[in-house]
Amino acid sequence: MLGAIIGDIVGSRFEWNNFKSKNFIFFTENSHITDDTIMTIAIAKALLTCKADKSDLSEKAIYYMRYYGKKYWNHDYGGMFNAWLSSDNPQPYNSYGNGAAMRVSACGFLAKSLEEAKLLSRKVTEVTHNHPEGIKGAEATAVAIYLARTGYSINKIREYIQANYYPLNFTLDEIRDTYKFNETCQESVPQAIEAFLESESFEDAIRNAVSIGGDSDTIAAITGGIAEAYYGIPDEIKEIAMTYYLDQRMKNILSEFQDRI
């Protein structure tokens, strides 16, 4: 889960100022958390506090996304999600935005089986992003994380994603010059997964994600969750993120989640 947060932090300064190269300073004083981190934390908290049978997970997801969304109000939530946060009666709004995928990494880390990864991702996603493409994007992300942390090779992960979710019929080099900002799952989740699949390390995966441009913080968050599951996170990168970018509330939830898994 911290991998998704680090991807968000690193990608944050490039979201509106794309940098189509892997050669950049990883952390700077202009790097910061965005709504991707806030909602990743919220979903983790929902998973930590729901019943063992997960019967109330959707309700917990609604509660904690709204709770932390209001605690951290000025973090550039999307228009429809912002309205959902403010609503007296929050209902799903048929979204297929990539917000479904950027927040779901905890599901892939906590799941005890592939089917549970799918179930958990659906329960925390359909409360807002109930469009089939939104559910699909979140599920593909959670599944890739589950496969990465349970010993699947990069080739096997690629095969599973292609067979069940997206045709990964491109390389980063082929799309880098023309890829543009896109907030939909179907036009950013495959690219984020490919950034992991072409990587050689955790840091390299994040650099891949940033280098294609587009919605950089969200693409890097999705990539970062998968990369953490596969490679782990170097101690130095972990220490910088925890020390300079996260407050104590976030650190406490991360610690509690790590203890759980």
Side-chain angles (χ1 to χ4, degrees):
M1 185 176 76
L2 180 58
I5 292 171
I6 292 169
D8 177 42
I9 294 167
V10 174
S12 62
R13 65 191 177 98
F14 299 110
E15 181 179 14
W16 305 114
N17 187 26
N18 286 170
F19 186 73
K20 297 207 171 191
S21 168
K22 294 171 66 172
N23 184 22
F24 57 85
I25 300 172
F26 208 63
F27 292 112
T28 75
E29 61 182 13
N30 294 320
S31 305
H32 56 89
I33 63 168
T34 78
D35 58 322
D36 299 37
T37 291
I38 307 304
M39 290 302 114
T40 295
I41 291 287
I43 294 302
K45 187 67 174 179
L47 286 161
L48 288 169
T49 57
C50 70
K51 295 177 181 178
D53 65 0
K54 309 300 187 296
S55 59
D56 63 341
L57 177 57
S58 292
E59 289 76 14
K60 292 289 187 181
I62 292 169
Y63 176 81
Y64 282 110
M65 282 195 287
R66 284 163 61 81
Y67 177 82
Y68 288 113
K70 293 172 183 177
K71 285 286 185 184
Y72 300 91
W73 192 254
N74 296 318
H75 281 81
D76 297 324
Y77 302 104
M80 289 191 294
F81 188 76
N82 199 47
W84 182 86
L85 287 177
S86 305
S87 174
D88 293 333
N89 181 30
Q91 297 295 319
Y93 45 90
N94 201 39
S95 175
Y96 48 83
N98 56 20
M102 57 82 162
R103 71 192 191 201
V104 79
S105 59
C107 297
F109 281 101
L110 196 65
K112 296 181 175 64
S113 68
L114 187 58
E115 290 309 310
E116 187 176 32
K118 296 175 183 179
L119 173 66
L120 298 181
S121 72
R122 175 177 286 271
K123 281 182 172 288
V124 304
T125 299
E126 63 189 4
V127 298
T128 55
H129 294 61
N130 58 329
H131 189 283
E133 288 291 347
I135 292 170
K136 177 181 174 181
E139 184 177 302
T141 302
V143 162
I145 289 169
Y146 177 80
L147 296 177
R149 75 173 178 83
T150 54
Y152 280 64
S153 68
I154 282 179
N155 285 339
K156 290 296 184 183
I157 296 170
R158 179 184 292 279
E159 289 173 6
Y160 192 90
I161 295 300
Q162 290 198 123
N164 294 279
Y165 298 102
Y166 301 109
L168 301 172
N169 54 354
F170 61 88
T171 67
L172 300 185
D173 284 345
E174 287 171 347
I175 68 170
R176 187 172 285 109
D177 287 345
T178 56
Y179 184 68
K180 298 183 183 302
F181 189 93
N182 192 303
E183 292 183 306
T184 67
C185 277
Q186 55 268 43
E187 295 295 336
S188 55
V189 174
Q191 289 77 11
I193 294 173
E194 183 66 23
F196 159 70
L197 294 172
E198 292 188 27
S199 68
E200 297 179 353
S201 67
F202 175 81
E203 181 176 338
D204 189 53
I206 302 296
R207 291 185 181 279
N208 279 345
V210 168
S211 76
I212 63 170
D215 192 1
S216 295
D217 59 329
T218 296
I219 292 174
I222 297 166
T223 301
I226 308 168
E228 176 191 7
Y230 191 80
Y231 298 111
I233 305 173
D235 289 342
E236 181 181 4
I237 291 176
K238 187 183 301 184
E239 182 177 354
I240 292 171
M242 294 287 284
T243 301
Y244 295 104
Y245 298 101
L246 301 182
D247 64 22
Q248 194 57 51
R249 179 191 286 121
M250 295 175 184
K251 292 177 187 178
N252 289 344
I253 295 171
L254 279 165
S255 178
E256 185 181 356
F257 189 82
Q258 189 61 41
D259 289 343
R260 175 71 66 86
I261 63 173

